[in-house]
Amino acid sequence: MSAQAATAHPTTARSTDIVRQIGVISAVSFMLIAAVVGVGALGGTPVQDLQDGALSASGSYLAPATQAFSIWTVIYVLMVAYAVWQALPSQRADARQRVLGWWIAATAVLNGLWLVSAQFTTLPVTVIVIVLLLVTLGWTLHLAVQNPPHGVRQALFTDITVGLHLGWVALATVANSTAWLTQIAPAEWAQAADAAAIAVIVVVALVGAGLALASGGRIAPGLAMGWGLVWIGVGRAAGEPASMPIAIAAWIAAAIVVLVPVIVTAVRFARNRT
């Protein structure tokens, strides 16, 4: 659907709109239940202890320190807030909800499926699921950019929610994939761990900068990526496996992914004023 189409505000609700609202609530509910299972609250194994510890803060050279995962609380709160907000009668026939609603629901389902796959399947399956989640989030942000928000609430409940989710999952995909490769790689590959990890961090910084340019300077993805990179640096500087070169590279990349969207926004604002 085009941006012009999504700016229209139809006044007649369809039966499919109610189905969409219920679908979003159901998807977010599934995600929350999976999260409760994932932290071990219902008798399951906590995520950091799954897959022989491969998903823990010391599972690989690109695993963030434990404190980084507190961002999930922010993402979950925003997802719940979105589910409640989009269920309001005022949002039922909103054109932007018709564009984004099912895609955001899909990200919630894939989020929950990752936790289920981590709990009950194998590490390669978790990589497949998180890549699918990353692609779905990327497409959802693309749709949000093509159909700009109208007002603070639309920006908060959709763009910021999706942006933070995307930025963090981009980092989580790197950590998840690295954890898997660490498990299957020959022991002698450890000698090149610093160089390989720094190369990946450079790619992450480029991806973060690319997201900022493609999204017109949206800062939420960069903030989430920067948060994760900072804690990767902390993990390598103060934890195991230790590597100060990786820590420094991660901190530099964090500054890049946060500053680029700020610069893009400032340039765009300056051009609009002239």
Side-chain angles (χ1 to χ4, degrees):
M1 182 179 292
S2 67
Q4 185 177 7
T7 59
H9 295 280
T11 56
T12 303
R14 311 166 186 164
S15 58
T16 53
D17 292 324
I18 298 176
V19 173
R20 184 196 67 245
Q21 289 178 308
I22 295 172
V24 170
I25 293 172
S26 301
V28 172
S29 298
F30 168 72
M31 180 189 72
L32 294 176
I33 294 170
V36 172
V37 173
V39 299
L42 297 179
T45 304
V47 171
Q48 64 269 21
D49 297 328
L50 293 170
Q51 309 293 338
D52 297 324
L55 300 173
S56 69
S58 59
S60 74
Y61 280 93
L62 291 176
T66 303
Q67 297 92 324
F69 297 96
S70 61
I71 195 174
W72 277 124
T73 300
V74 177
I75 293 170
Y76 287 154
V77 167
L78 286 172
M79 289 287 282
V80 170
Y82 171 75
V84 172
W85 175 71
Q86 65 85 38
L88 296 175
S90 62
Q91 298 304 308
R92 182 165 299 157
D94 182 78
R96 201 166 192 256
Q97 297 302 330
R98 288 174 174 169
V99 173
L100 298 176
W102 281 116
W103 286 104
I104 296 177
T107 66
V109 171
L110 287 168
N111 187 312
L113 284 177
W114 184 88
L115 288 161
V116 171
S117 64
Q119 191 77 227
F120 300 111
T121 66
T122 62
L123 206 52
V125 174
T126 67
V127 174
I128 293 171
V129 174
I130 203 167
V131 169
L132 289 173
L133 173 57
L134 178 63
V135 171
T136 305
L137 283 165
W139 179 250
T140 306
L141 183 65
H142 168 74
L143 292 175
V145 172
Q146 293 297 308
N147 301 274
H150 294 273
V152 174
R153 284 178 296 180
Q154 278 200 357
L156 172 62
F157 291 126
T158 57
D159 299 55
I160 293 178
T161 301
V162 173
L164 287 176
H165 200 175
L166 171 61
W168 175 252
V169 167
L171 252 293
T173 301
V174 170
N176 198 165
S177 301
T178 306
W180 174 47
L181 291 173
T182 299
Q183 294 287 304
I184 65 174
E188 55 268 24
W189 284 20
Q191 299 175 4
D194 279 9
I198 291 171
V200 172
I201 289 171
V202 170
V203 173
V204 169
L206 292 173
V207 169
L211 270 175
L213 293 170
S215 65
R218 279 169 170 75
I219 196 171
L223 287 176
M225 293 179 76
W227 171 264
L229 285 162
V230 165
W231 287 107
I232 287 175
V234 171
R236 300 296 69 78
E240 294 294 336
S243 172
M244 188 53 68
I246 294 176
I248 293 172
W251 290 329
I252 293 172
I256 291 171
V257 300
V258 172
L259 288 175
V260 169
V262 173
I263 294 170
V264 170
T265 300
V267 170
R268 187 179 61 179
F269 179 76
R271 286 177 177 173
N272 290 338
R273 287 178 61 91
T274 58

